[in-house]
Amino acid sequence: MDTCITIWQWPEEERWYDEGIKKSLQLIAEAGFTHINWNPDSGNSYMLSDAEISFTSDMVRASGLKAKSVHGSNGRNPISEVRWRKNGRIGRETRRDILSPHEWQRQSGVELVKNRVDLASAFCSPDIVLHVDITDDVFLSPEREEAFFRPLRMSLEELQPYCLEKRVKIAVETLFCASAESFLLLYDRLFAWFPPGFLGLCLDTGHWEMIEPGGCSVLEKFGDRLITTHINDNFGATDDHMLPFDGRIDWESMTRAIAATKYEPPLNFETHIDRYSMPEAAFYRRAHKIAVRLEEMLQAHRNRSRSDDGPDLIRNAG
């Protein structure tokens, strides 16, 4: 059975990018996982060199694991490689931003996203995940909506041919920086403008629980665009990224909702090791048991749905 978990970066470990990640990949594979979601460098503006992309893809390939997804750059990153200190504070600059009204800055954001598309292509990953940092204020007036969506649409239009050439889709993640209603409006705009062969949905279960407790209207409305997942749990107050069944999410309902879509397994666990006081190997072993449980629940819902549809198909054929 295919299963997937996120691999993180742990910069406090010496040579974390090669020896550190190689060790994590080995432990993930030994625990029984078949796929990974690549997360290192997702939240910053670091540009991977060709040598790094080649090394990284070779390292993952050698582990025997496949890449289910790559967490791309946000396209807008408050954490960059440029820092300054003043009066004891660390300042950060945002020089790459796909939402910027300044053309040089917007184009820099597009280049950053393309860099992660290159990484995904080297991995043979079918998609990258993109953050679009929307707020409820965007929809307060037509002028604000136009100011937000104009640079975003331009950036995605420039990315579309590049992604199609590389055969890498973009999955826009569900965040918690706005209401569920605003995210539904965001997806309504984006999916009307761009085809499913280029743009889709990344469901982060923990984020959605924070903005629509107990619900999953995003799948009810846009389940046909679901292309990747960030599976994690919480108690609705903070973004804990715990393992499923350790929080309050109803996983019976959640797997039923995902099963009703055309989502291609495996589900991707985006769960933090540092939420648990256990060795890394033990965490992956526990996570794998839960991943198998969820995959079995997902498949059971789909089998039940096919069984329920069977008699209707026979009657309709007659």
Side-chain angles (χ1 to χ4, degrees):
M1 175 180 290
D2 287 345
T3 50
C4 178
I5 196 166
T6 296
I7 187 163
W8 305 88
Q9 61 191 51
W10 304 109
E12 68 274 8
E13 186 170 328
E14 187 176 357
R15 297 202 62 84
W16 64 269
Y17 197 87
D18 44 22
E19 279 88 348
I21 288 182
K22 281 182 182 178
K23 177 184 175 183
S24 294
L25 288 170
Q26 179 182 352
L27 294 176
I28 288 170
E30 289 176 351
F33 285 97
T34 58
H35 290 69
I36 58 160
N37 168 49
W38 183 265
N39 190 274
D41 300 313
S42 63
N44 60 43
S45 298
Y46 185 75
M47 295 286 282
L48 294 159
S49 68
D50 291 343
E52 287 174 290
I53 290 175
S54 177
F55 168 79
T56 304
S57 59
D58 287 345
M59 179 171 57
V60 172
R61 194 174 297 112
S63 74
L65 295 162
K66 298 178 181 178
K68 169 66 175 173
S69 185
V70 170
H71 200 316
S73 68
N74 299 349
R76 161 184 280 180
N77 290 302
I79 304 173
S80 75
E81 305 311 307
V82 181
R83 295 187 179 189
W84 49 265
R85 287 182 177 271
K86 185 177 181 180
N87 298 327
R89 296 175 55 206
I90 297 178
R92 296 184 174 92
E93 299 180 11
T94 300
R95 294 189 179 180
R96 301 187 174 103
D97 182 359
I98 59 172
L99 301 175
S100 175
H102 305 287
E103 188 61 9
W104 72 268
Q105 194 174 30
R106 187 192 64 78
Q107 290 180 0
S108 296
V110 170
E111 290 179 10
L112 180 60
V113 177
K114 285 182 177 180
N115 184 252
R116 300 308 193 262
V117 171
D118 290 340
L119 179 64
S121 178
F123 279 158
C124 296
S125 168
D127 61 73
I128 66 164
V129 172
L130 181 71
H131 285 191
V132 176
D133 299 321
I134 198 165
T135 67
D136 295 330
D137 291 345
V138 167
F139 299 103
L140 291 179
S141 70
E143 292 77 18
R144 291 192 180 196
E145 188 171 341
E146 167 66 16
F148 178 85
F149 279 105
R150 185 178 57 79
L152 174 60
R153 187 171 182 177
M154 289 174 61
S155 295
L156 291 173
E157 286 174 347
E158 291 174 17
L159 286 165
Q160 184 174 356
Y162 195 80
C163 288
L164 293 176
E165 176 188 350
K166 297 286 185 176
R167 298 184 180 181
V168 175
K169 297 180 183 179
I170 290 179
V172 182
E173 183 175 350
T174 56
L175 305 175
F176 55 95
C177 49
S179 64
E181 292 76 13
S182 291
F183 273 100
L184 293 178
L185 287 171
L186 169 67
Y187 295 128
D188 187 64
R189 304 291 190 275
L190 294 182
F191 297 157
W193 291 333
F194 298 101
F198 163 58
L199 198 71
L201 170 68
C202 170
L203 171 66
D204 186 303
T205 55
H207 294 169
W208 198 260
E209 176 67 18
M210 295 175 71
I211 61 175
E212 191 186 39
C216 205
S217 59
V218 69
L219 288 190
E220 294 169 7
K221 191 168 184 181
F222 300 113
D224 62 327
R225 302 297 285 261
L226 180 66
I227 57 177
T228 196
T229 54
H230 287 175
I231 301 296
N232 60 90
D233 210 340
N234 61 45
F235 289 100
T238 55
D239 188 26
D240 298 313
H241 281 262
M242 298 186 297
L243 290 167
F245 306 106
D246 286 351
R248 74 177 193 185
I249 291 177
D250 182 348
W251 291 102
E252 185 70 24
S253 297
M254 184 60 70
T255 52
R256 185 186 303 113
I258 296 173
T261 73
K262 295 181 180 180
Y263 179 78
E264 296 182 9
L267 301 166
N268 166 46
F269 275 34
E270 194 187 47
T271 46
H272 287 291
I273 301 173
D274 58 359
R275 303 297 191 266
Y276 297 86
S277 299
M278 62 174 65
E280 189 176 2
F283 172 81
Y284 291 135
R285 289 195 297 269
R286 180 168 184 257
H288 185 258
K289 291 179 181 179
I290 298 172
V292 169
R293 180 180 174 186
L294 276 194
E295 295 293 346
E296 290 175 343
M297 291 171 65
L298 180 67
Q299 190 58 49
H301 285 305
R302 286 182 166 168
N303 291 342
R304 194 174 300 120
S305 177
R306 283 195 290 266
S307 177
D308 291 344
D309 289 343
D312 292 334
L313 293 173
I314 293 173
R315 283 195 296 270
N316 291 339

